[in-house]
């Protein structure tokens, strides 16, 4: 009697485990994942004018200059220091895309916009393209497989790193 | 009289095993890098509520070595005393002293936590403060409850898919997955066979063999200390024949009423129980109940760690995380890199680790504003989730809570 109860209990548990496991489970965890997070850091009190520009100081730091368009007077400046190795891409509008390891940060002239992680991939190049209403980043991703072969992928993302349709 | 002496000896042997877990603790802590992080000047990782733990560091490695070696030697001495003279005062007090020393040292840094310590500490505390007549039935229920709770927490894709242990075991594919389901079956059903040594010896020995294999295999994944602790705890069932703590005769008589009125049945059994048996059930049920607190606080407690400070953290999830910290000094702004620390797997994405670091940055770099964020995921998940959004953190007077949800939890 007791053995029967244990067998029934075991079968119920086995069924529970199998239903949790399948069909969603994976024996091998995905090594390529993607997350998208928006950060709304503090807005600049001075609304940036169209002449805001990132200027490169050295490999690891950029300086943002915001000029008043009417008087041509500099009203604010910020320096962004990049403490680790990474790539920085800039747009003429003052947008900035920072790539490091498998992470991307995006910020415009006044605030951080988004942060994205794409495991297993590396940004090869990023170019800001003008669109009808605004613009978007054209990203060339590169993935190195263990056997030494590489794969490239092109995609378009806006300032918030949301995927958009390209031109 | 002879029986009582034998029971005393068995009780002492179990105490000796508990003392040995304390003796093994300094070796485990040294392997975890405690010699370095307990030194004055090293980045501290304080427990919530003990933010000044950095002031309680050792000034030299020699001092740390002395304390750890003394604790280990004291525990071995206690173990010998308990084995040879279980009823002597020296045995009791030597165990009490090394146990308190372990607790005090554990309080110095969060990296010294571990659910194996929690289990060993709880059992040692009961061993020290309760008489044998109460301790025996408590351990009969509580020790299998440790496994049972761990089994309940393993009912998730992370464990059952093998993602939590991928590449750490010699098994792979369907063999690994069925092995992992087997562990769940053992922990939820088979573990209670430990109470069957008299009634059904084959069940008892089967589960002992399975436990030995399970813990030997787990060494590759979790290290030596967890199997040592569990071997010491399970040895309780080897020194003596433990049985379910309920009144057998009353239960047999009342059993026909079970299907008619389960509540009445339970009530009559409860009334017939001795206080020792009642205490055993209460402690074990409270322990099991506490394991559900994290889930009641947050469905993503596996990533946020909410409630895990009081519950055990028994699922060996492989959490991956990304911390992101931005400091501002006037118009200057900089991303602050996260520290590289040697951390146990169960806490390496714990928000408390990042909280401590952010507090350190506030103290040492005095930014006008500090924002930090934490994204985490289990290795079997595709997307990272924003777990923490702590803005203007240095001005935030809220502290990391022991209970309840985190004030910086991102929705």
């Amino acid at each position: 009697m007791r053995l029967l109860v244990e067998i029934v209990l075991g079968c119920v548990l086995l069924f529970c485990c199998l239903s949790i496991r399948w069909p969603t489970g994976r024996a091998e965890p995905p090594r390529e994942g993607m997350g998208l997070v928006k950060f709304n850091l503090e807005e600049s009190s001075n609304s940036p004018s169209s002449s805001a520009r990132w200027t490169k100081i050295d490999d690891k730091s950029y300086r943002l200059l915001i000029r008043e368009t009417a008087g041509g007077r500099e009203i604010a400046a910020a320096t962004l220091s990049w403490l680790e190795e990474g790539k920085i891409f800039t747009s003429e509008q003052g947008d900035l895309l920072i790539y490091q390891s498998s992470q991307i940060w995006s910020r415009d002239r006044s605030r951080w916009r988004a942060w994205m992680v794409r495991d297993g991939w590396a940004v090869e190049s990023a170019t800001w393209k003008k669109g009808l209403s605004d613009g978007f980043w054209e990203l060339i991703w590169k993935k190195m497989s263990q056997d030494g072969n590489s794969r490239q992928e092109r995609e378009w993302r806006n300032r918030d790193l949301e995927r958009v349709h390209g031109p | 009289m002879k029986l009582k002496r034998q029971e005393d000896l068995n009780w002492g042997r179990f105490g000796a095993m508990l003392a040995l877990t304390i003796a093994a603790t300094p070796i485990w802590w040294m392997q975890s890098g405690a010699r370095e992080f307990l030194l004055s000047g090293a980045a501290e990782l304080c427990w919530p509520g003990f933010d000044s733990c950095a002031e309680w560091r050792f000034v030299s490695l020699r001092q740390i070595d002395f304390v750890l070696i003394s604790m280990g030697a004291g525990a071995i001495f206690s173990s010998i005393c308990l084995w040879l003279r279980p009823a002597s005062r020296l045995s009791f007090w030597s165990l009490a002293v090394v146990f308190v020393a372990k607790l005090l040292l554990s309080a110095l840094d969060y990296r010294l936590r571990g659910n194996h310590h929690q289990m060993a500490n709880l059992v040692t505390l009961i061993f020290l403060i309760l008489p044998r007549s109460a301790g025996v039935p408590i351990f009969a229920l509580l020790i299998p409850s440790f496994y049972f709770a761990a089994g309940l927490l393993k009912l998730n894709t992370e464990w059952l898919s093998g993602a939590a242990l991928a590449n750490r075991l010699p098994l792979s594919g369907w063999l690994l997955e069925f092995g992992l389901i087997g562990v769940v079956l053992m922990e939820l059903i088979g573990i209670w066979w430990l109470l069957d040594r008299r009634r059904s010896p084959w069940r008892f020995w089967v589960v002992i063999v399975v436990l030995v294999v399970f813990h030997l295999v787990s060494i590759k994944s979790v290290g030596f200390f967890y199997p040592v602790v569990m071997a010491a705890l399970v040895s309780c069932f080897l020194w003596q024949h433990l049985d379910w703590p309920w009144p057998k005769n009353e239960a047999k008589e009342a059993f026909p009423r079970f299907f008619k009125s389960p509540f009445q049945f339970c009530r009559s059994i409860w009334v017939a129980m001795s206080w020792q048996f009642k205490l055993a059930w209460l402690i074990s049920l409270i322990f099991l109940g506490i394991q559900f607190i994290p889930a009641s606080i947050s469905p993503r407690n596996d990533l946020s760690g909410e409630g895990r400070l009081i519950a055990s953290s028994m699922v060996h999830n492989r959490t991956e995380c990304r911390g992101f910290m931005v400091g501002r000094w006037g118009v200057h702004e900089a991303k602050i890199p996260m520290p590289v620390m040697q951390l146990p797997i169960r806490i390496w994405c714990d928000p408390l680790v990042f909280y401590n670091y952010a507090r350190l940055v506030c103290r040492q770099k005095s930014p006008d504003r500090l924002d930090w964020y934490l994204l985490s995921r289990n290795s079997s998940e595709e997307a990272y989730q924003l777990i923490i959004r702590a803005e203007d953190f240095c001005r935030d007077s809220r502290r990391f809570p022991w209970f309840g949800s985190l004030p910086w939890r991102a929705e």
Side-chain angles (χ1 to χ4, degrees), chain A residues 2-4 6 9-11 13-14 16-18 20-22 24-43 63 76-84 100-103 105 107 110-112 114-115 117-119, chain B residues 155-157 160-163 166-167 172-173 176-178 181 184-185 188-189 192-193 196 199-200 202-203 244 318 320 322-324 326 328 331-338 369 371 373-375 377 379-386 388-389 391:
Chain A
R2 185 185 159 187
L3 192 62
L4 190 68
E6 284 170 347
L9 270 177
C11 290
L13 258 179
L14 186 65
C16 290
C17 290
L18 293 177
I20 291 170
R21 171 69 188 86
W22 280 287
T24 54
R26 258 186 303 269
E28 291 299 321
R31 303 313 311 160
E32 175 191 316
M34 193 182 293
L36 186 64
V37 176
K38 285 180 191 170
F39 293 131
N40 294 310
L41 299 188
E42 194 183 354
E43 286 276 4
R63 188 172 173 81
T79 306
L80 181 94
S81 300
W82 197 244
L83 301 173
E84 298 157 60
Q100 186 210 353
S101 181
S102 56
Q103 306 173 67
W105 285 267
R107 69 167 299 152
S110 60
R111 61 183 180 133
W112 290 97
W115 179 26
V117 178
R118 196 173 180 191
D119 278 351
Chain B
L155 290 171
N156 61 53
T157 313
L160 294 170
S161 69
N167 310 324
S172 63
L176 170 70
E177 292 189 40
F178 277 98
I181 291 176
V184 173
L185 292 177
L188 293 181
I189 297 176
W192 301 107
W193 294 354
D196 271 324
R199 269 188 310 277
S200 176
W202 72 267
R203 279 188 173 88
W244 287 92
R318 281 205 309 157
E320 295 169 354
R322 315 269 179 167
F324 176 56
V326 180
R328 195 174 288 172
V331 293
H332 298 280
E333 187 176 277
K335 177 191 165 232
I336 299 166
M338 288 295 176
R369 181 187 167 103
D371 301 326
Y373 306 86
L374 179 65
L375 286 127
R377 70 172 183 189
S379 60
S380 62
E381 293 170 326
E382 291 228 358
Y384 282 86
Q385 294 206 13
L386 183 61
I388 299 290
R389 180 200 292 270
E391 290 170 341

Side-chain angles (χ1 to χ4, degrees), chain B residues 236-256:
Chain B
C236 186
F237 294 84
L238 296 175
W239 309 124
Q240 50 215 325
H241 294 60
L242 299 184
D243 207 341
W244 287 92
W246 60 41
K248 305 281 171 314
N249 294 335
E250 284 82 351
K252 211 171 186 180
E253 280 173 25
F255 188 68

